[in-house]
Amino acid sequence: MVIVTRIRREVLTLPAAQLGPDNPLPPLRPLDEVHRIDERDRDGMPADMARQLAYEPLAGLLPVRVRDGYDRNREPRALDALVIENDRLRATVLPGLGGRVASLVHLPTGRELLYRNPVFQPANFALNGAWYSGGIEWNIGATGHTTLSCAPLHAARVPAPDGTEMLRLWEWERLRDLPFQVDLWLPDGSDFLYVGVRVRNPHERPVPAYWWSNIAVPEEVRVLAPAEEAWHFGYERRLRRVPVPSYDGIDRTYPLNSPYAADYFYEVPDGRRRWIAALDAEGHGLVQTSTDVLRGRKLFVWGNRPGGRRWQEWLTEPGTGGYCEIQAGLARTQLEHVRLEPESEVAWLEAYGPLDAPPEREWTWAVRGAEERLETALPRTRVEEAYAAWRPCADTEPGEALASGSGWGALEVLRADWKLPGTPFPESTLGEAQQPWRELLRTGSLPEPRRVRPPGETLVAPHWRDMLETAPATPHTEYHLGIAQWHAGDRAQAVRSWERALPLAPSLWPLLRCLAVADQEYGHHERAAERYADAFDDLCRERRDDGAEWTAAVAALGRDTLQALLRARRIADARAVWDRLLPAVRRRGRFRLLEAELLLAEGRPAEARAVLDAGFEVADLREGEEALGRLWSRLTDEPLPARHDFRMRPDPA
């Protein structure tokens, strides 16, 4: 009996860590992003690539908050899932975690086509922190993993082009202020999951756009793509053109052959079909293809050195196998952004499914054989026809709601009265975070907080900054105005706004912390340390309880204060801050690392070494971060222990 395509709810129970509260401190510092290149590498690259590399790279995270409240204590937890299936494929989607396709099973063979992570473990890889590995993720915003990696999306049923059901996911991407949608459907009897994607620019100005679909697959595969060259980018931050499949005597299309973590952006010739596949030794695996708008294809590998293997263990359950990623994006590389014209949109269709191809080792024949099998299984013309059939359906209004995202899109639609067919952002989705800004929109005044608590979220787009500038100049308004001015690059005016707010502000620590960041950016590290210390002292006096919200504030400001005091060599003051931290905060891995640094600064290297030897895990260790290795090298000449080895690049020559 043929199973008609259907969508159903399901609960996925996994060993999962808690996400915890967001960091309440607005991210004022420049973006800590590893994907920056040496200026020397721009010479000799294609003109469009050089132009897009220079086109408005993201400078900061505002208005998004950092998500660093997660831990590594995994317990069985229930995750809401949506399953879409026909008689050939079953896709499991996590709407509360970025709309990730966590699993794609080929039912006739029982094969899992993706790397399915057996745990949910956030790690510091997204632009704003929390991210997790596995499945298919939808990356929008700017170079790096999306800020929506661990955030809920709106989801609903929508009629598909062939009359079956389609699952629509949509949200408002806040870094670039762009609404987007992802439509997933399985035509009856199809071996391929179709995915229609649309990103819209409702503004009267061009906006930099970014998209990469990242597909995790088991790493014991060979990755095939129709290319003879690739752009190699490693954590040395060098971008260079290399031959495919081999260079330096190593066939890099086998992920486990590469020694270090690296990106390989394939140079697919114009006019060639866009596809990428990951096939095992018998020639079985997953293929992804798309319409030509999604031009880029990439392989990411962790490498076979100890640091890469340690990251694999860190992101999943040790002993469960590693993964690599095959990816597809709007540009050649993830270091580029494309121009999305005013009041326009960009859309495309992707398809994911099984592929069985001859297990040929010679590159040209392996690619040709896979491409021929793909053309038989899913002709290129059929993909174009499916895209054409989907485009009118992209505006279809959703039916039954299946999940809810944030209220930020509703606030923007309320402000501008935008009409966005197919992706409604109704006022009913407005929540507590949006209410002060709705009041500013309605009355021209930003309301004062009703109770003592860490400040709420700040909006920084030009239209919100204009409203803040004309609102009554209360300390609360000046605080938020200063953040918006800082984001716009008007740093002197931001400092004046924060300084104006200080004399009358009932809560000093948020303003003092902003001024401390400004001091750091101007190189006034002694004054920054003083202001951080004053801010932390004020926060400790103001804190009302040891609940999650206040604990997040104490941890965030305590960490920044300790680092600033240590940099200024104010060791006794740093110890005083350490002693005032909550015991639960001091036990966190990040603070154990700070404790070791403090002990070393106090001239107690044996005790600092004992902290490292006792073992701890820095839950929010950043991609590419080398703090553990640097501290170890200051304490001893012994080899770095495997548990502390997260190195993602060769040692500098």
Side-chain angles (χ1 to χ4, degrees):
M1 182 180 72
V2 175
I3 300 175
V4 177
T5 301
R6 58 177 181 160
I7 299 170
R8 70 175 190 275
R9 298 178 189 271
E10 193 171 273
V11 173
L12 187 63
T13 301
L14 294 177
Q18 292 276 24
L19 268 173
D22 288 353
N23 188 323
L25 306 183
L28 301 176
R29 303 298 299 275
L31 192 66
D32 179 21
E33 174 53 46
V34 299
H35 299 96
R36 297 282 188 265
I37 69 167
D38 192 304
E39 287 300 316
R40 296 173 290 177
D41 295 335
R42 296 181 187 272
D43 296 337
M45 65 176 55
D48 62 331
M49 183 174 169
R51 182 176 63 253
Q52 290 175 172
L53 278 166
Y55 180 46
E56 295 193 31
L58 194 68
L61 274 177
L62 287 167
V64 176
R65 284 186 162 183
V66 173
R67 309 203 76 174
D68 60 2
Y70 52 88
D71 57 29
R72 293 187 58 80
N73 301 317
R74 296 195 287 264
E75 297 177 359
R77 304 184 198 279
L79 304 177
D80 290 333
L82 298 171
V83 175
I84 176 170
E85 66 179 328
N86 60 9
D87 59 338
R88 310 291 296 175
L89 284 177
R90 180 172 64 242
T92 302
V93 180
L94 303 178
L97 294 169
R100 183 85 53 109
V101 180
S103 170
L104 184 63
V105 176
H106 185 233
L107 297 174
T109 61
R111 292 206 309 260
E112 172 63 69
L113 300 179
L114 306 174
Y115 170 75
R116 180 172 184 167
N117 198 332
V119 304
F120 171 67
Q121 178 57 65
N124 194 358
F125 278 74
L127 286 165
N128 63 331
W131 171 88
Y132 63 106
S133 63
I136 306 171
E137 58 175 309
W138 318 112
N139 286 292
I140 181 174
T143 297
H145 292 283
T146 177
T147 62
L148 296 167
S149 292
C150 292
L153 304 189
H154 301 284
R157 299 178 193 269
V158 183
D162 61 353
T164 61
E165 285 190 319
M166 184 160 63
L167 173 61
R168 175 163 299 161
L169 307 166
W170 74 98
E171 239 310 350
W172 193 275
E173 200 288 311
R174 301 179 66 203
L175 294 177
R176 305 298 196 181
D177 266 338
L178 298 177
F180 71 96
Q181 70 190 77
V182 178
D183 290 351
L184 303 97
W185 77 101
L186 284 167
D188 285 343
S190 174
D191 276 319
F192 284 84
L193 173 68
Y194 288 172
V195 181
V197 182
R198 175 167 64 168
V199 181
R200 290 191 272 200
N201 176 15
H203 304 283
E204 297 178 349
R205 54 180 170 80
V207 175
Y210 173 93
W211 184 281
W212 281 81
S213 301
N214 291 7
I215 309 121
V217 293
E219 65 183 349
E220 293 183 355
V221 293
R222 189 184 199 190
V223 173
L224 302 176
E228 301 295 330
E229 292 183 313
W231 295 90
H232 171 273
F233 180 79
Y235 286 81
E236 312 92 318
R237 303 191 180 189
R238 298 300 308 274
L239 182 68
R240 55 198 174 106
R241 197 192 301 254
V242 298
V244 173
S246 300
Y247 76 92
D248 289 344
I250 300 173
D251 187 337
R252 311 289 174 138
T253 63
Y254 293 90
L256 285 170
N257 283 356
S258 291
Y260 292 97
D263 301 323
Y264 298 90
F265 299 102
Y266 294 115
E267 187 70 78
V268 179
D270 290 341
R272 193 78 181 264
R273 184 174 186 177
R274 308 284 163 173
W275 63 274
I276 190 168
L279 306 180
D280 63 20
E282 285 73 44
H284 307 311
L286 172 83
V287 65
Q288 186 270 1
T289 187
S290 71
T291 48
D292 290 350
V293 166
L294 205 65
R295 66 167 298 175
R297 292 298 184 276
K298 170 193 158 182
L299 164 64
F300 169 76
V301 299
W302 283 106
N304 57 34
R305 298 298 295 270
R309 307 328 297 166
R310 181 71 176 110
W311 273 116
Q312 293 270 30
E313 295 175 351
W314 187 256
L315 296 170
T316 183
E317 192 69 35
T320 57
Y323 75 97
C324 63
E325 289 182 357
I326 57 175
Q327 306 181 10
L330 284 175
R332 276 187 182 87
T333 74
Q334 289 175 324
L335 312 177
E336 304 168 64
H337 299 87
V338 301
R339 180 184 172 102
L340 191 53
E341 297 297 339
E343 299 177 334
S344 70
E345 62 185 44
V346 60
W348 62 90
L349 184 93
E350 303 180 46
Y352 298 81
L355 186 69
D356 297 303
E360 172 65 57
R361 292 191 63 85
E362 199 281 321
W363 177 252
T364 301
W365 288 103
V367 170
R368 182 178 299 176
E371 196 162 40
E372 290 173 353
R373 291 291 180 90
L374 172 60
E375 186 63 22
T376 299
L378 184 66
R380 188 176 186 180
T381 55
R382 190 181 304 167
V383 174
E384 298 289 346
E385 291 165 358
Y387 172 72
W390 167 72
R391 287 297 281 128
C393 299
D395 282 346
T396 302
E397 291 303 316
E400 178 193 357
L402 298 172
S404 295
S406 79
W408 295 112
L411 185 68
E412 294 298 332
V413 168
L414 185 64
R415 179 194 64 81
D417 194 29
W418 277 317
K419 309 301 180 188
L420 300 169
T423 54
F425 295 97
E427 287 189 50
S428 60
T429 61
L430 291 169
E432 183 181 4
Q434 292 84 41
Q435 287 306 326
W437 302 96
R438 185 185 191 185
E439 189 70 11
L440 174 64
L441 185 63
R442 189 178 67 84
T443 67
S445 178
L446 191 68
E448 291 295 306
R450 293 193 178 94
R451 59 190 175 92
V452 177
R453 61 188 299 185
E457 298 192 50
T458 298
L459 295 179
V460 296
H463 42 268
W464 293 107
R465 187 175 72 246
D466 291 345
M467 281 186 264
L468 288 169
E469 287 175 343
T470 58
T474 66
H476 186 59
T477 300
E478 295 279 22
Y479 165 77
H480 287 287
L481 174 59
I483 295 170
Q485 291 165 332
W486 182 271
H487 176 73
D490 192 353
R491 297 190 167 182
Q493 189 58 55
V495 169
R496 285 192 287 271
S497 294
W498 294 325
E499 289 177 339
R500 278 197 307 267
L502 272 174
L504 298 177
S507 182
L508 300 180
W509 66 268
L511 295 160
L512 289 169
R513 182 262 175 179
C514 289
L515 290 167
V517 173
D519 285 334
Q520 287 178 317
E521 291 299 292
Y522 288 125
H524 304 313
H525 296 293
E526 180 63 36
R527 190 168 67 189
E530 184 69 29
R531 278 178 160 156
Y532 268 121
D534 289 344
F536 187 75
D537 186 60
D538 185 67
L539 171 58
C540 289
R541 285 196 302 267
E542 183 176 287
R543 190 181 76 222
R544 293 298 189 264
D545 55 50
D546 294 344
E549 188 175 33
W550 284 107
T551 298
V554 171
L557 187 56
R559 171 181 170 176
D560 288 354
T561 303
L562 279 168
Q563 291 172 332
L565 290 169
L566 287 171
R567 176 163 187 167
R569 302 300 299 169
R570 293 176 53 171
I571 310 306
D573 291 332
R575 172 59 64 182
V577 168
W578 172 267
D579 290 341
R580 297 180 73 180
L581 291 172
L582 299 170
V585 171
R586 289 202 296 261
R587 289 193 294 268
R588 296 181 186 178
R590 175 63 64 178
F591 286 86
R592 297 301 308 280
L593 178 59
L594 281 170
E595 180 187 17
E597 293 175 353
L598 176 57
L599 288 166
L600 183 58
E602 290 174 329
R604 301 154 68 182
E607 293 172 74
R609 170 69 185 267
V611 171
L612 290 180
D613 288 343
F616 56 84
E617 294 184 322
V618 182
D620 63 335
L621 195 70
R622 182 68 175 162
E623 176 185 11
E625 185 177 344
E626 298 177 351
L628 278 165
R630 285 197 302 268
L631 179 59
W632 182 265
S633 67
R634 291 169 62 195
L635 292 169
T636 178
D637 293 330
E638 297 173 22
L640 183 65
R643 67 179 181 278
H644 293 320
D645 190 352
F646 293 89
R647 291 172 292 188
M648 300 177 74
R649 60 174 181 161
D651 292 332

